[in-house]
Every structure is written in structure tokens, then in C-alpha cells.
Amino acid sequence: MDRDKRQKASDVFQETNYLFAEKTTFEKAFPMIEDIEVKVIEYGEGVNEWNRERYYNKFTAGEYINCSNRLCYNGGFSLGRIIRYMVMNNMKEYQTKEICQGYEGSPKGRRKYRDCLNTFHITVKIKYKEKQEE
Ligand SMILES: [Zn+2]
């Protein structure tokens, strides 16, 4: 294991079982969604031509999308929050910007040096399941 590797938002989320009683699959969390397309363009530290643009579907989307800054602890943003907002408002397409929630610090995150300034431009398209007719 890389001693210098910072935990990212999805890692921290996975470890904080006491905060989130149940981690469900996408299907269980969003049973009304037939399909989803997520495009994320990241700007900032650690971003290169290979990871600048990332795409996710219902099998690869997670609660958190991580940032690419190697020094950043708990880096990324909550994709789950954006999807919940869209579902609540019945939105099919949504574009937004997020700033990384993490910070540059010591490997375990105890010391904080400065905020991570990586930003994400996010486009989400949702296809909802047809309502069942009785
Ligand atoms: Zn970050």
C-alpha cells in the first residue's frame, strides 16, 4: 500500500460506517432511474489529458466522485447529492459546478495545509423508468 496515498471522498465514505447506516447500490438508492449519464470535467492539480474527462453510468456512478490532486485528503464531491436533487425536482438534465470538498494535508488528514482548489463541471442526464400503469 502506498503510504503517501491520501484517502479520497469515496474511501472516507466507505469507512464511516457509523455515519451512514446502510450503503446501498445505485439500483436500491434510485429505483425510479432507468439509466443515467454523468460527465465530469475536472480542472486543477493532478488533472491531465487522460483523466480530465470522466464518464459514469448507473453501474459506475457512486455517492462520491474523487478528485485527482494527489495531496488532497477526502477530495471529491457528492454526486449522490446532485442526483437526489434532480430526482426530487423531476429534472432530466442538469449542469452544475462543484469545488473539491477536500484539503491538502498530511497523508491521514490530521494536518491541513490548504484547501484543494480543484473544480468539477458536471453534466447529468437521467432517464426515468416509465410509471407502471394499473
Ligand atoms: Zn481535492
Side-chain angles (χ1 to χ4, degrees):
M1 166 118 184
D2 186 356
R3 248 178 60 94
D4 210 39
K5 189 176 182 303
R6 268 65 166 174
Q7 284 194 315
K8 292 301 181 186
S10 67
D11 304 316
V12 174
F13 179 71
Q14 290 299 330
E15 287 192 357
T16 50
N17 289 306
Y18 54 95
L19 276 178
F20 301 89
E22 199 184 340
K23 289 182 194 70
T24 61
T25 63
F26 188 91
E27 197 76 50
K28 276 188 189 166
F30 302 106
M32 70 297 285
I33 292 179
E34 164 110 34
D35 213 350
I36 188 167
E37 270 178 55
V38 181
K39 178 185 180 186
V40 177
I41 305 173
E42 182 179 2
Y43 299 88
E45 295 291 329
V47 179
N48 57 48
E49 60 181 304
W50 310 108
N51 65 9
R52 180 185 318 275
E53 275 188 37
R54 282 173 280 170
Y55 296 86
Y56 302 89
N57 59 34
K58 68 190 287 189
F59 303 108
T60 54
E63 175 69 25
Y64 286 95
I65 302 294
N66 293 334
C67 89
S68 303
N69 180 355
R70 268 180 57 78
L71 295 176
C72 174
Y73 177 80
N74 197 19
F77 67 94
S78 170
L79 177 63
R81 187 169 52 78
I82 293 169
I83 297 172
R84 283 189 289 276
Y85 173 78
M86 289 179 70
V87 168
M88 208 161 52
N89 294 287
N90 232 331
M91 295 161 79
K92 288 184 183 145
E93 189 168 342
Y94 183 55
Q95 289 192 5
T96 186
K97 286 180 197 169
E98 295 278 333
I99 298 170
C100 179
Q101 65 170 26
Y103 54 87
E104 294 184 3
S106 53
K108 294 213 163 122
R110 291 201 185 91
R111 268 169 298 153
K112 179 173 173 173
Y113 304 137
R114 63 174 186 140
D115 288 333
C116 176
L117 299 174
N118 283 26
T119 55
F120 306 89
H121 292 204
I122 306 134
T123 307
V124 182
K125 290 181 191 166
I126 293 178
K127 183 168 185 260
Y128 293 95
K129 284 183 183 156
E130 304 264 340
K131 290 227 167 63
Q132 297 278 315
E133 306 269 348
E134 286 289 320

